[in-house]
């Protein structure tokens, strides 16, 4: 079982790491100061707060759009199946995004909130 785990999961991840490292190596002298700045606790904490705010804003937008579309009847299966081809696929995709999107966005915001509250993302000194 360990051999399968190594072969199917870890080996491709290690190969991807080597590939990305090789591709970014020429640009590292330029990127290194930015990456060092990005990894400071204060900046990372503020970026986490920004991610939470953007996700909550997107959550509200998705809920409003879902409410409007549901009220107009555009999320009903009769409306979706009234057309054939690509329009049906797009309507199904919009229904999927408006159904599961708010939960997905809220889960990301909750994950960052829990990370900050639990101390995994330390506040700036």
């Amino acid at each position: 079982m360990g051999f399968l785990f190594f072969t199917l999961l870890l080996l491709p991840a290690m190969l991807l790491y080597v590939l990305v490292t090789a591709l970014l190596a020429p640009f590292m002298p330029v990127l290194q100061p930015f990456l060092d700045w990005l990894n400071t606790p204060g900046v990372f904490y503020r970026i986490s707060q920004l991610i939470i705010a953007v996700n909550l804003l997107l959550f509200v937008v998705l809920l409003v759009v879902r409410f409007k579309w549901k009220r107009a009847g555009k999320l009903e299966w009769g409306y979706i199946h009234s057309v054939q081809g690509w329009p049906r696929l797009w309507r199904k995709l919009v229904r999927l995004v408006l159904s599961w999107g708010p939960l997905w966005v809220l889960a990301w915001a909750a994950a960052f909130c829990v990370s900050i509250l639990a101390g995994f993302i330390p506040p700036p000194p």
Side-chain angles (χ1 to χ4, degrees):
M1 186 68 177
F3 177 74
L4 287 175
F5 179 75
F6 176 77
T7 305
L8 297 178
L9 295 176
L10 293 179
L11 194 59
M14 290 187 320
L15 291 175
L16 183 63
Y17 172 76
V18 168
L19 177 68
V20 169
T21 304
L23 288 174
L24 289 179
F27 305 106
M28 283 313 287
V30 176
L31 288 176
Q32 194 61 46
F34 175 72
L35 294 176
D36 291 340
W37 172 79
L38 194 60
N39 283 329
T40 57
V43 173
F44 193 67
Y45 186 78
R46 295 294 178 211
I47 289 174
S48 299
Q49 288 179 333
L50 181 68
I51 288 173
I52 291 170
V54 168
N55 278 331
L56 291 177
L57 180 67
L58 186 59
F59 174 72
V60 170
V61 168
L62 285 173
L63 282 182
V64 168
V65 170
R66 178 179 163 77
F67 176 75
K68 297 274 187 185
W69 277 46
K70 195 165 183 82
R71 186 180 236 185
K74 293 183 178 181
L75 294 180
E76 302 297 327
W77 285 113
Y79 175 76
I80 292 172
H81 290 294
S82 66
V83 294
Q84 297 292 326
W86 286 104
R88 179 186 288 189
L89 181 66
W90 285 114
R91 289 178 183 181
K92 284 182 180 180
L93 183 66
V94 167
R95 179 184 166 95
L96 179 73
V97 168
L98 291 179
S99 297
W100 293 101
L103 296 174
W104 177 257
V105 170
L106 196 61
W108 274 106
F112 274 95
C113 285
V114 167
S115 297
I116 287 175
L117 292 175
F120 297 123
I121 300 175

